[in-house]
Amino acid sequence: MSADVTQQSYDGDLSLDGRVAVVTGSGSGLGASEAVNLARSGAAAVVINDVKASEATDAVIADIEAAGARASLVVGDVSERETADAMVAEAEKLGGLHVVVNNAGITRDKMLFNLDDDDFDAVIKVHLRGHFLLTRNASAYWRAQDKKRSEGSEPVYGRLINTSSEAGLFGPPGQANYGAAKAAITALTLSASRVLGRIGCTANAIAPRGRTGMTEGVFEEWDPSQGPDPLSPDRVADLVSYLAAPASAEVTGQLFVVYGGMVALVEAPVVEKRFDAEGGVWDRRAFADAVAEHWSGRPEGKSFSAAEIMKL
């Protein structure tokens, strides 16, 4: 096989030709980059979403159309059922639902002892409930499509990409609400991958670092003279387009940390130590003694937190 033929075959696996994608929170920032990149990867249509129509959403639509895809805006709060219903319905109008990117989110950062009920509820509602609603609706849609298949027909095409965060892995002190939501999104994605795997669809989560409006003030400004910005949302969008493509058919139930030129596949937690009672049941003293023996010489500060990830 010639090099040219090999390249053509690989490009075909990465093409989203004829697919329809939905990207939440895509009026700007990371979601906008993801939506436009999907269009440039060959998607036939992209449904974008934001809480309001604006010049920014107009610009995203223009970029999607310039890439040769159709574009449609669904205005609404992702934490409301009506918005999830409307996005799936709009995708159906444009040719079906094939790719879902849950990206919308907010932050209400405070130390735990200063975090009020409303700030906790708002973040959980937008991130976790928002992810749940569209994940559930997309799963129901793909399952219904699978039931309609005739014997021997092509399997249902479904790609779910959810947005988690490293915050859900190491528990930042000023983001108890955000970290809790993101950890739950990872668990939601794992559940979705098990269900969707039965019908040939995939579900993965990404933990991106990107310079967006939501992270303004977190990262230092980038000097363009130093070259491409490693925290540009475009770096994340490339991974999303891969996970949306046919080439990723075997990739599911995974969590990727992504930024710049780095993608890290995160491994599941491991059991550090198992404590077994000799008689089958622990009493408090025996258990305390066993734990104390293990704790002596254990690295200070070691916990369930995946703090090593922050060294990537």
Side-chain angles (χ1 to χ4, degrees):
M1 183 178 291
S2 70
D4 289 342
V5 173
T6 301
Q7 183 62 46
Q8 289 174 2
S9 175
Y10 189 62
D11 286 345
D13 282 344
L14 291 172
S15 174
L16 292 174
D17 183 38
R19 311 300 184 187
V20 179
V22 171
V23 185
T24 69
S26 44
S28 61
L30 182 57
S33 293
E34 291 167 339
V36 174
N37 198 303
L38 290 169
R40 291 172 179 166
S41 298
V46 182
V47 178
I48 68 169
N49 153 261
D50 210 334
V51 291
K52 64 179 180 179
S54 64
E55 292 183 2
T57 57
D58 290 343
V60 176
I61 288 174
D63 286 344
I64 290 171
E65 292 177 342
R70 289 178 292 169
S72 182
L73 169 65
V74 171
V75 174
D77 180 344
V78 294
S79 68
E80 300 295 336
R81 169 68 186 269
E82 292 78 8
T83 305
D85 291 346
M87 287 188 284
V88 173
E90 190 64 22
E92 283 192 278
K93 291 179 187 177
L94 294 171
L97 177 64
H98 306 102
V99 177
V100 168
V101 182
N102 276 308
N103 165 76
I106 62 171
T107 54
R108 298 288 187 272
D109 295 351
K110 290 180 182 177
M111 297 297 283
L112 181 59
F113 38 74
N114 290 327
L115 188 62
D116 61 37
D117 297 10
D118 290 342
D119 287 335
F120 181 85
D121 291 344
V123 169
I124 296 296
K125 186 177 180 184
V126 172
H127 284 276
L128 183 53
R129 179 174 166 81
H131 269 69
F132 158 69
L133 289 172
L134 189 53
T135 293
R136 188 269 316 279
N137 281 18
S139 299
Y141 174 85
W142 290 326
R143 181 170 181 265
Q145 293 298 109
D146 184 66
K147 287 186 173 182
K148 295 177 184 177
R149 288 175 56 224
S150 58
E151 187 175 347
S153 64
E154 289 293 319
V156 173
Y157 192 97
R159 298 286 188 273
L160 173 67
I161 301 116
N162 285 338
T163 306
S164 184
S165 170
E166 292 160 277
L169 299 172
F170 69 88
Q175 291 185 309
N177 47 3
Y178 184 77
K182 290 306 190 180
I185 286 169
T186 299
L188 174 68
T189 307
L190 290 174
S191 293
S193 72
R194 297 184 189 284
V195 171
L196 293 174
R198 299 172 183 175
I199 56 174
C201 300
T202 68
N204 293 286
I206 61 171
R209 297 183 198 174
R211 200 183 308 281
T212 68
M214 200 169 78
T215 60
E216 190 175 4
V218 175
F219 303 118
E220 294 182 2
E221 290 188 16
W222 180 254
D223 181 356
S225 67
Q226 299 179 22
D229 183 356
L231 291 175
S232 167
D234 291 339
R235 308 288 82 78
V236 178
D238 289 336
L239 173 62
V240 168
S241 289
Y242 165 73
L243 292 174
S248 67
E250 302 302 318
V251 181
T252 192
Q254 306 301 322
L255 172 63
F256 298 90
V257 176
V258 53
Y259 66 94
M262 187 219 69
V263 176
L265 176 61
V266 180
E267 190 174 7
V270 298
V271 176
E272 177 184 337
K273 172 71 175 178
R274 175 172 163 170
F275 300 94
D276 289 305
E278 288 186 10
V281 178
W282 284 108
D283 64 61
R284 286 186 297 168
R285 173 51 57 196
F287 180 70
D289 290 344
V291 171
E293 181 181 355
H294 176 68
W295 239 252
S296 63
R298 189 173 184 266
E300 184 178 355
K302 184 177 182 180
S303 75
F304 186 76
S305 172
E308 288 294 314
I309 286 181
M310 296 310 295
K311 297 179 182 179
L312 288 171

